[in-house]
Amino acid sequence: MSARHGPVSCAPRASLAIAGSLAGWLAAGAAAAQAPPRNAQAEAALKEAMGTDYLETRFAQAERKLRAALDACGESGCSPAVKARLLVALGTVLAQSRKGLEDARGAFADALRVDPSAKLDPDLTTPEVSSAFEQARAATGAGATGAPAAAGTGGAPAAAGATGSPAAPGAAEAQLQIAPMPEQRVRTPVPLHAEVPAELLPSVKQVTVWYLAPGEREVRSLVMKKLRGQGFGINVPCAAVGRTGKLLYHVAAVDEDGAILASAGTRDAPLVTQIRESISSAPPRWPGHAPPAECAAPEQERPRQCLDDRQCDRGLACVGGACVTRAAAEAAPDVRRSWVTLTFSPDVALLSGQDVCTVASQRSDHFVCLRGDGTRYDGTPTPDVANDVNLGFALATLRVAIAYDRLVLDNLTVGGRVGFAAGGTTEGGASFLPLHLEARAQYFLGARPFEQLGARPFVLAAAGVAQVDTEVDVEVLEDATACGADLADRTSPCTRPGASGRVEARRQTLTATRQAGQGFASVGAGVAYAPIEALSLNLALRASLTFPAVTTVLSPEVGLSLGF
């Protein structure tokens, strides 16, 4: 089996710790007072290769930069310590890449020949790296300075036949006790359980299992969980045992520095569990636990032939990614596409003004001011005294309209309204357009709202022809000079007739009407409630802007619709 392990999966340490350890690699060379000329260049290459490329699993780039740095060092360009660190880093990269461990052992051996005190970085050490380094140390006869030897070995090297997974059990390292696992049902997790020798337990940092699932080529790893006592356990997941065949695996316990303390099986001589449709032995389990339950059978996957019906031949429909015979068409929902509505809507206008009843204001600002007897006021109000309309809303015209709307899409209606407006001013020579004409579009929210009863929220946009007349009371004080009253007494009566030949009352309350329109544009929102298919009650609120006489108008609207 050929295991592939990236640096992140085999050493669960934070990137800051790795960066700190890289800094430690570089510190020794930088501290020398008289550093060789290529030391700084080599240390920079080492930092970039291991601190960036290696951590991001760009092994080829890391290897290329380290070899270039070694070439630049030559025979005497770098100190032995720096050159050894470059070689150790190169061996680590080679052990982690897919090039096998032979080149890694060669790089480690070269490092130990250059500097017998060379050692591995514990934050980048994996069982493969540690095993290759110990074999190189044994081959060169260097002192045990890389990673601590496995307990019980007395510093002896790993077996010569090891190839990056835990070596064969024997003198090199202790044996993990693995519960026999001869067979397991397909689609059922495999409960692996291992016990670490008691004397090694305090030194164990991590227990890892590497497994090759039936029919797979890639070896995967799992970190086993600490259980009671000396036990460690993990379930090989359902995804790995979804087919019959052999599940191959081996286990290793390592210390803080990544040195292998104990193992069971090797990459070349793995443990085996047969994955079968049915088993004759008792279901495997962790000690003291129930057997794992069988996973749900996955739905059979097949290549997608289509994404929608348009990619299928005539008479076929796209169902679950495949073109199948179209089912007999069901009766289409009885959707009412034509709707006739009777609506009632009061207008509430926002208006304000100053000196609204002067002759000039009535002419330019579209105000009509009427006396109590209904005649047009044409007097001369006292400037800056009353004669104002404060900003606010006031009830304006009332409208009744009949509408026709057509459902042109699942969510969109378009139509028109024609109606009559009441409450306009025609006295005193004023004119009022009582006609209401409107074109409207309404978009209903939700999926196919007209196929369902209940609430149907919508938004609307409209434009048309209408006039909005808004009446307010305005108090005026006749100008004393113009009407012949006493300047010093506001209660003195007028004595001089105005332009119409009428003597105005000195103080009077007029009805001022703001005439706005006769065009408008609206937006709004509402809800239609359909208790039955052919009937709905509509509530909406429109906000309109009139032109060319500009006024903002709010219009609550209630309506009853019949569909057919």
Side-chain angles (χ1 to χ4, degrees), residues 175-523:
Q175 270 283 78
L176 291 173
Q177 297 180 16
I178 296 286
M181 200 79 57
E183 59 181 357
Q184 177 62 301
R185 294 190 307 272
V186 70
R187 295 187 298 277
T188 305
V190 179
L192 300 181
H193 181 271
E195 289 194 358
V196 176
E199 66 274 12
L200 298 181
L201 191 59
S203 301
V204 171
K205 173 67 175 178
Q206 180 175 293
V207 178
T208 304
V209 57
W210 290 268
Y211 68 90
L212 182 65
E216 297 289 332
R217 295 183 178 181
E218 180 178 355
V219 175
R220 303 180 186 275
S221 64
L222 294 170
V223 176
M224 303 183 80
K225 301 176 182 178
K226 181 68 175 70
L227 304 178
R228 293 180 181 178
Q230 301 164 228
F232 289 78
I234 195 70
N235 285 336
V236 177
C238 288
V241 289
R243 65 176 73 179
T244 58
K246 292 182 179 181
L247 173 69
L248 309 178
Y249 59 96
H250 58 285
V251 187
V254 298
D255 64 8
E256 182 71 30
D257 294 324
I260 301 170
L261 301 180
S263 65
T266 66
R267 187 169 58 181
D268 297 326
L271 305 175
V272 180
T273 296
Q274 293 286 345
I275 307 301
R276 299 186 170 118
E277 290 291 344
S278 61
I279 59 176
S280 56
S281 59
R285 68 181 73 191
W286 291 349
H289 291 74
E294 183 177 2
C295 304
E299 183 179 351
Q300 293 295 326
E301 295 184 358
R302 53 186 173 182
R304 296 184 67 87
Q305 299 175 351
C306 58
L307 296 176
D308 55 40
D309 293 351
R310 294 174 297 178
Q311 296 177 328
C312 297
D313 293 336
R314 184 180 298 275
L316 300 180
C318 184
V319 179
C323 293
V324 299
T325 302
R326 187 182 299 274
E330 299 180 358
D334 186 15
V335 174
R336 311 296 173 124
R337 294 194 170 272
S338 295
W339 292 84
V340 175
T341 306
L342 180 65
T343 65
F344 170 74
S345 176
D347 295 327
V348 179
L350 177 67
L351 75 161
S352 65
Q354 292 181 331
D355 297 327
V356 297
C357 285
T358 63
V359 174
S361 180
Q362 292 187 64
R363 184 183 305 114
S364 61
D365 293 336
H366 305 280
F367 276 94
V368 175
C369 295
L370 302 177
R371 303 181 183 95
D373 60 2
T375 58
R376 186 78 168 255
Y377 171 74
D378 59 353
T380 305
T382 304
D384 300 324
V385 177
N387 196 24
D388 294 335
V389 176
N390 295 326
L391 179 65
F393 286 98
L395 183 63
T397 41
L398 305 177
R399 301 179 186 278
V400 177
I402 187 167
Y404 173 78
D405 295 291
R406 178 70 179 175
L407 182 65
V408 294
L409 298 174
D410 289 339
N411 299 72
L412 181 66
T413 65
V414 295
R417 282 158 171 71
V418 59
F420 172 80
T425 297
T426 58
E427 296 177 297
S431 62
F432 175 72
L433 177 66
L435 182 65
H436 179 96
L437 294 176
E438 176 184 339
R440 178 183 293 198
Q442 298 178 142
Y443 182 84
F444 289 79
L445 307 180
R448 297 183 175 88
F450 284 83
E451 296 181 9
Q452 306 168 20
L453 300 180
R456 301 167 181 167
F458 63 87
V459 293
L460 66 90
V465 174
Q467 182 172 326
V468 179
D469 280 13
T470 310
E471 293 184 0
V472 293
D473 289 338
V474 174
E475 186 176 347
V476 296
L477 177 67
E478 204 68 22
D479 182 83
T481 302
C483 74
D486 186 353
L487 293 175
D489 184 4
R490 288 193 173 187
T491 62
S492 63
C494 293
T495 60
R496 186 181 302 154
S500 62
R502 179 169 178 165
V503 177
E504 301 288 350
R506 183 70 190 279
R507 184 186 296 271
Q508 59 183 319
T509 299
L510 305 175
T511 300
T513 302
R514 176 75 157 84
Q515 295 191 305
Q518 298 172 337
F520 73 91
S522 303
V523 294

